[in-house]
Amino acid sequence: MLLEIKDLCVSAEDKDILKSLNLSVNAGEVHAIMGPNGSGKSTLARALSGHPGYAVTGGSITYNGKDLLDMAPEERACEGVFMAFQYPVEIPGVNNAYFLKAALNAVRKHRGEQELDAVEFMTLIREKASLLEMDQSMLHRAVNEGFSGGEKKRNEIFQMAVLEPKLAVLDETDSGLDIDALRVVANGVNALRSPDRAIVVVTHYQRLLDYIVPDFVHVLSGGRIVRSGGKELALELEEKGYGWIDAVAGAGA
Amino acid sequence: MAQVAERQETYAAAFERFRTTPAFGPEWLRTARSAAFGRFLERGFPTTRDEEWKFTNVAPVAATPFQRVNEDASVSAETLEPFLFGDSLRLQAVVVNGRFAPALSSLKDLPAGVTISTFVEALAAHESLDGPSLKSDHAFVSLNTAFFEDGIFVHVDPKAVITEPIHVLFLSAPGSTPALVAPRLMVVAGEQSQVSLVESYAGLGTSSVLTTAVTEVMLGPGAVVDHVKIQRETAQAFHLASTFVHLHRSSTFASRAITFGGRIARNDITATMAGEGAECTLNGLYVADGDTLVDTHTTIDHAQAHCPSHEIYKGILSGRSKAVFNGKIIVRPDAQKTDAKQTNKALLLSPDATINTKPQLEIFADDVKCTHGATIGQLDEDGLFYLRARGISEKDARNMLIHAFASDVLNGVANEVVRARLEALLLEKLHLPS
C-alpha cells in the first residue's frame, strides 16, 4: 500500500476539520475525493503536503511504509509526494525554470540520482511543457506571477510532470478552468497515470472526472469519508447533489 | 558639550596643520576649504533635532577623536584582491585613505577619450573642479571639502563611448587610532559621451574610521552614465557619503547603490534634472545586520520639463539593525510633464529590526505624474511553503526569496562579474549558503 491514512484528525485555526478520516490508496490507482464546501477536502490535501497552518491532532499517515507526519514538507516532496495547489503562490523575482531546476535537483539528489545540468534540464522541461501545451515564455517568467488562473493550474501539472511524483494530490485543480484548459490539464494528468503512481483528485465537481476517470470515488462530509464507491458514485452525486449525502450521513450517524 | 567643543578643536588643529602642506592646494581650493571648514565649525555635527537627521544619531561620530592618517598605509596587491574584479574590470584607480595609490592602480591602457587623474593634475590641465558640493552646508561634505587630499577626476570627452567599466576603489586602512578619511570623486561626462563606473568603498583593520565620501557626477547634454556604488567597509566604519548628480538636457544617469553597512552608513544622493528630457534612475539595495544603521536620503530635483525619474530602494534588515529611507522629490514650476516614480520596500528578517521610511513630495507644477509607495514586511510564508512543497530545503527557499527580493535592484547591475560578486556578498552578509 502506498498511502494509508488512519483515524486522521486535523485542525486549522483551532477548529477541528478532519475527524477520524480513513483512506487507503494503492500504487496505480486514481482516487477522487468529493464533497461540499467546508467538508475538509482541501484540509486533507494540505495535511498531506505538510502545510504549517494545519495541525494533525490525531491518527496517522503511512506513506510508502514511512511515517509521513514525521517529515518536513520538503522531505515529503523529495520522497515523491506532490500537491498541486488550489491557489498556486506568485513568487516575484524567482524564474520559473530556475525554481523548477532547483526543485528537480533537490528531489534527484534525495533519490541518489545525479543532478541534471542546464542542457539536460532544458531538454526535459521543453518536452514536458509541450505535453501541457504551455507557451515556452512561461518558463522564463517569475513563478506564477501575472499568470491567469488557467496558466497557474497548468503550471502546477507541468511541475508535476517534471518532478514525476509517486503520489500526486490535486487540490481542486479544475476550479477556474475553462473547458479547453480543463482538457489540457486532464491530458497532462492522464499522461502521468502509471502502475507505480497514485493520484488523489480533490474536486467539488464531477466534470473533471469525465476526463480523469477515477478508480474510486470517496465522499467527504463533516470531516470524514461517508461514502466510497466506483466512478458511478460521482455521477450519482452530480444528479442528486450533496444534500442527499448529508441526509444519508445524518441518518447513518 | 565640552567634549564636542574639544573635538572641534581637534579638527581645527588638524586643519591648521593641513593648511601648511602642499596637498592643501592652489588659491581657489584654499578659499573653498576655508569657507567649508568655517561652515563646519559654525554648525558642528548634526543632531537628532535636525529634521534631516531625526533618526540617525551621529553622536558616536562626534565623540570619537578621528585623525587624518599621515603615513602612507602599506597595502599589498594581495590584500586588495577581494575588493577588485580581476581581469573583468581592468581599468582601476585605487585610493588608500584618500590618497591615490598609482602602484595599486592600473590606468595604463585607458581607452581613447577618457582621462583619469588626480585633482592636482586636472587643475594643471585647466579643468574646472567647481561642483555643487563646494557650497554645501552638509557637515560631512564640509569636512570632506576641508580635508580631502587626492580627489579622483574622471573626464570623458564629448562623443567618446567608453564600453569598459571604470572601477574606482576607495580603501580605508586606519592604523591603531580612529581615522578620518576623505575620499573624493568627480566625473565629468562630456556631451553625448557614454561611460560606466563602479565606485566602491572597502575597509581593512579593526580601528574606527570616518569616511566622508563626496562624489560629483556632471552629465553634459545627451551623456549616458551608468553608476554602481558598492559600500562594504568594516563594522567599525562610519560611512557618511554625499553624491551630487547634475543632469543636462537629454542626459541619462542610472545608479545602483549597494550598501552593506558598517556602524552607520548614510548616503545622501541629490540628482538635479537641470535640462529638459533628462532621465534619472536611482536604485539601491541596503543590507544591515547587528547594530548597523543604514540611512538613505535621496533628493530628485525636477527643475525642467519632460524628465522621468525612477527610484527603487530595497532594504534587508536583520539583527537589531535600523534603516532610514527618506525620498524627496521636488517638482519645480517649470517641470511640467514630470514623471516620477518612487518605491521603497523593506524586508525585516528579525523582530528587532526597524525602519523609518518617508516619501517627501514637493510639487509646484500642475501637469505631472508622481507616484510613491512603501512596503515593509517579512519573508512571504506562503511563498516559502510553496518552494518547500516542491522539495527545496527551508534554507535554500529562504535564500531564493531573499535573492528574489533583491533581484530588481541587482539585475540592474549590467556587469555580470560585478553582479555575481554582489550576490555572493549578499548571501555572505546574511550568513546564507551560496
Side-chain angles (χ1 to χ4, degrees), chain A:
Chain A
M1 193 161 304
L2 185 64
L3 179 71
E4 187 164 31
I5 302 175
K6 274 193 183 157
D7 302 323
L8 186 69
C9 299
V10 176
S11 70
E13 288 168 1
D14 292 330
K15 211 176 128 204
D16 294 331
I17 300 176
L18 294 186
K19 298 160 190 167
S20 197
L21 181 140
N22 290 285
L23 179 69
S24 299
V25 177
N26 287 303
E29 296 172 351
V30 174
H31 290 241
I33 312 275
M34 300 184 72
N37 287 330
S39 58
K41 303 188 299 287
S42 286
T43 298
L44 173 61
R46 288 169 198 172
L48 283 169
S49 68
H51 193 292
Y54 295 79
V56 174
T57 53
S60 66
I61 306 178
T62 309
Y63 164 76
N64 211 14
K66 292 176 186 162
D67 180 2
L68 190 73
L69 296 175
D70 205 28
M71 298 180 202
E74 56 268 37
E75 275 179 86
R76 298 180 192 203
C78 288
E79 287 284 333
V81 178
F82 179 94
M83 181 181 71
F85 281 59
Q86 183 181 4
Y87 303 110
V89 183
E90 296 195 12
I91 309 181
V94 177
N95 174 297
N96 216 10
Y98 170 81
F99 147 68
L100 200 48
K101 185 168 177 238
L104 178 62
N105 280 337
V107 172
R108 289 182 69 95
K109 203 171 154 188
H110 184 86
R111 289 188 201 141
E113 295 167 6
Q114 196 147 44
E115 296 186 17
L116 293 188
D117 66 25
V119 176
E120 293 166 326
F121 176 72
M122 284 317 288
T123 311
L124 173 73
I125 64 168
R126 286 215 181 91
E127 176 202 319
K128 302 291 186 184
S130 66
L131 172 71
L132 284 147
E133 298 174 31
M134 258 172 74
D135 189 35
Q136 299 280 336
S137 72
M138 271 171 75
L139 302 176
H140 302 291
R141 282 159 64 189
V143 179
N144 296 321
E145 193 186 29
F147 284 25
S148 69
E151 283 175 331
K152 282 181 184 168
K153 296 298 176 73
R154 208 178 281 205
N155 198 26
E156 293 293 292
I157 304 305
F158 164 64
Q159 292 173 25
M160 171 176 148
V162 172
L163 296 174
E164 299 184 320
K166 278 200 201 76
L167 171 67
V169 182
L170 276 52
D171 188 5
E172 303 207 19
T173 299
D174 51 334
S175 67
L177 291 186
D178 63 30
I179 197 72
D180 293 330
L182 185 73
R183 185 185 48 78
V184 171
V185 163
N187 283 346
V189 174
N190 286 329
L192 288 164
R193 289 181 83 147
S194 98
D196 327 317
R197 181 173 292 133
I199 300 173
V200 175
V201 181
V202 170
T203 182
H204 188 85
Y205 301 104
Q206 183 269 340
R207 191 181 65 157
L208 178 67
L209 306 181
D210 286 342
Y211 297 89
I212 304 171
V213 181
D215 300 306
F216 301 96
V217 174
H218 309 276
V219 182
L220 200 56
S221 177
R224 66 183 67 147
I225 287 171
V226 293
R227 194 93 196 251
S228 296
K231 63 188 178 206
E232 62 290 342
L233 179 56
L235 294 167
E236 202 176 337
L237 276 173
E238 178 79 358
E239 204 177 303
K240 298 183 177 169
Y242 286 114
W244 161 72
I245 281 297
D246 288 339
V248 171

Side-chain angles (χ1 to χ4, degrees), chain B residues 34 56 61 119 128 153 161 200 217 228 257 261 278 296 352 374 403 409 425:
Chain B
S34 298
T56 299
V61 174
F119 275 22
S128 165
F153 182 70
V161 175
S200 60
V217 185
V228 176
T296 307
D352 299 321
H403 237 107
V409 173
L425 286 170

Side-chain angles (χ1 to χ4, degrees), chain B residues 72-73 75 80 83-84 92-107 116-119 148-154 167-173 181-186 199-204 211 233:
Chain B
D72 278 339
V75 175
L80 276 186
F83 309 123
L84 298 172
Q92 62 200 27
V94 177
V95 180
V96 180
N97 293 335
R99 276 184 208 132
F100 179 51
L104 299 170
S105 304
S106 52
L107 298 172
I116 301 178
S117 55
T118 63
F119 275 22
F148 81 84
E149 288 182 50
D150 289 339
I152 297 296
F153 182 70
V154 178
H167 182 206
V168 184
L169 168 65
F170 293 101
L171 184 78
S172 52
V181 177
R184 197 164 182 106
L185 173 65
M186 184 180 226
E199 175 189 2
S200 60
Y201 294 84
L204 295 173
T211 305
E233 286 166 287

Side-chain angles (χ1 to χ4, degrees), chain B residues 144-196:
Chain B
N144 179 287
T145 302
F147 285 109
F148 81 84
E149 288 182 50
D150 289 339
I152 297 296
F153 182 70
V154 178
H155 185 272
V156 187
D157 292 344
K159 294 193 178 159
V161 175
I162 312 301
T163 47
E164 216 180 324
I166 295 165
H167 182 206
V168 184
L169 168 65
F170 293 101
L171 184 78
S172 52
S176 52
T177 53
L180 169 66
V181 177
R184 197 164 182 106
L185 173 65
M186 184 180 226
V187 180
V188 174
E191 188 164 353
Q192 293 181 59
S193 67
Q194 195 176 320
V195 69
S196 164

Side-chain angles (χ1 to χ4, degrees), chain A residues 49-52 72-74 77-78 82-83 85 88-89 91-94 98-99 102-103 106-107 143-144 156 159 163, chain B residues 345 380-397 399-405 407-408 411:
Chain A
S49 68
H51 193 292
E74 56 268 37
C78 288
F82 179 94
M83 181 181 71
F85 281 59
V89 183
I91 309 181
V94 177
Y98 170 81
F99 147 68
V107 172
V143 179
N144 296 321
E156 293 293 292
Q159 292 173 25
L163 296 174
Chain B
K345 289 187 179 174
D380 178 23
E381 289 297 329
D382 291 336
L384 204 57
F385 177 67
Y386 189 80
L387 297 175
R388 292 178 68 192
R390 294 295 176 256
I392 297 168
S393 73
E394 187 174 0
K395 238 178 182 175
D396 288 346
N399 189 335
M400 219 179 254
L401 291 180
I402 291 168
H403 237 107
F405 177 79
S407 66
D408 45 359
N411 287 349

Side-chain angles (χ1 to χ4, degrees), chain B residues 75-396:
Chain B
V75 175
S76 66
E78 291 77 56
T79 329
L80 276 186
E81 236 174 61
F83 309 123
L84 298 172
F85 298 92
D87 290 336
S88 323
L89 264 70
R90 284 187 316 123
L91 308 176
Q92 62 200 27
V94 177
V95 180
V96 180
N97 293 335
R99 276 184 208 132
F100 179 51
L104 299 170
S105 304
S106 52
L107 298 172
K108 283 187 196 74
D109 301 320
L110 278 184
V114 63
T115 323
I116 301 178
S117 55
T118 63
F119 275 22
V120 174
E121 290 161 342
L123 283 168
H126 309 290
E127 296 285 359
S128 165
L129 298 178
D130 194 5
S133 71
L134 293 183
K135 287 166 206 78
S136 167
D137 56 11
H138 188 294
F140 296 96
V141 175
S142 299
L143 262 187
N144 179 287
T145 302
F147 285 109
F148 81 84
E149 288 182 50
D150 289 339
I152 297 296
F153 182 70
V154 178
H155 185 272
V156 187
D157 292 344
K159 294 193 178 159
V161 175
I162 312 301
T163 47
E164 216 180 324
I166 295 165
H167 182 206
V168 184
L169 168 65
F170 293 101
L171 184 78
S172 52
S176 52
T177 53
L180 169 66
V181 177
R184 197 164 182 106
L185 173 65
M186 184 180 226
V187 180
V188 174
E191 188 164 353
Q192 293 181 59
S193 67
Q194 195 176 320
V195 69
S196 164
L197 279 153
V198 178
E199 175 189 2
S200 60
Y201 294 84
L204 295 173
T206 51
S207 290
S208 180
V209 60
L210 169 59
T211 305
T212 61
V214 172
T215 303
E216 292 170 296
V217 185
M218 325 287 273
L219 293 93
V224 178
V225 175
D226 184 86
H227 174 248
V228 176
K229 175 174 170 178
I230 304 167
Q231 189 275 345
R232 46 178 303 203
E233 286 166 287
T234 64
Q236 289 74 37
F238 296 96
H239 182 85
L240 289 123
S242 292
T243 302
F244 300 86
V245 184
H246 191 86
L247 293 98
H248 260 295
R249 190 184 172 85
S250 305
S251 62
T252 307
F253 178 76
S255 174
R256 277 95 198 166
I258 318 298
T259 302
F260 291 111
R263 270 187 74 184
I264 297 178
R266 157 94 173 211
N267 282 295
D268 283 86
I269 305 169
T270 305
T272 306
M273 319 285 267
E276 271 190 31
E279 181 162 358
C280 171
T281 303
L282 297 185
N283 290 352
L285 171 70
Y286 47 89
V287 187
D289 59 359
D291 286 309
T292 296
L293 189 159
V294 178
D295 180 346
T296 307
H297 268 63
T298 65
T299 302
I300 302 183
D301 186 346
H302 285 266
Q304 295 293 330
H306 297 284
C307 295
S309 69
H310 321 272
E311 185 173 17
I312 300 172
Y313 264 81
K314 294 220 168 167
I316 302 173
L317 308 174
S318 59
R320 291 173 305 277
S321 64
K322 288 192 177 72
V324 181
F325 178 82
N326 192 101
K328 190 194 276 191
I329 295 174
I330 306 170
V331 182
R332 299 197 187 267
D334 288 339
Q336 299 295 5
K337 304 288 180 189
T338 287
D339 186 357
K341 286 187 209 76
Q342 180 190 89
T343 311
N344 176 231
K345 289 187 179 174
L347 185 58
L348 305 184
L349 298 178
S350 104
D352 299 321
T354 55
I355 175 159
N356 287 291
T357 176
K358 184 175 101 178
Q360 198 181 340
L361 272 51
E362 298 174 8
I363 303 172
F364 305 101
D366 53 13
D367 185 12
V368 300
K369 223 161 64 184
C370 288
T371 60
H372 65 86
T375 58
I376 298 163
Q378 282 92 39
L379 225 44
D380 178 23
E381 289 297 329
D382 291 336
L384 204 57
F385 177 67
Y386 189 80
L387 297 175
R388 292 178 68 192
R390 294 295 176 256
I392 297 168
S393 73
E394 187 174 0
K395 238 178 182 175
D396 288 346

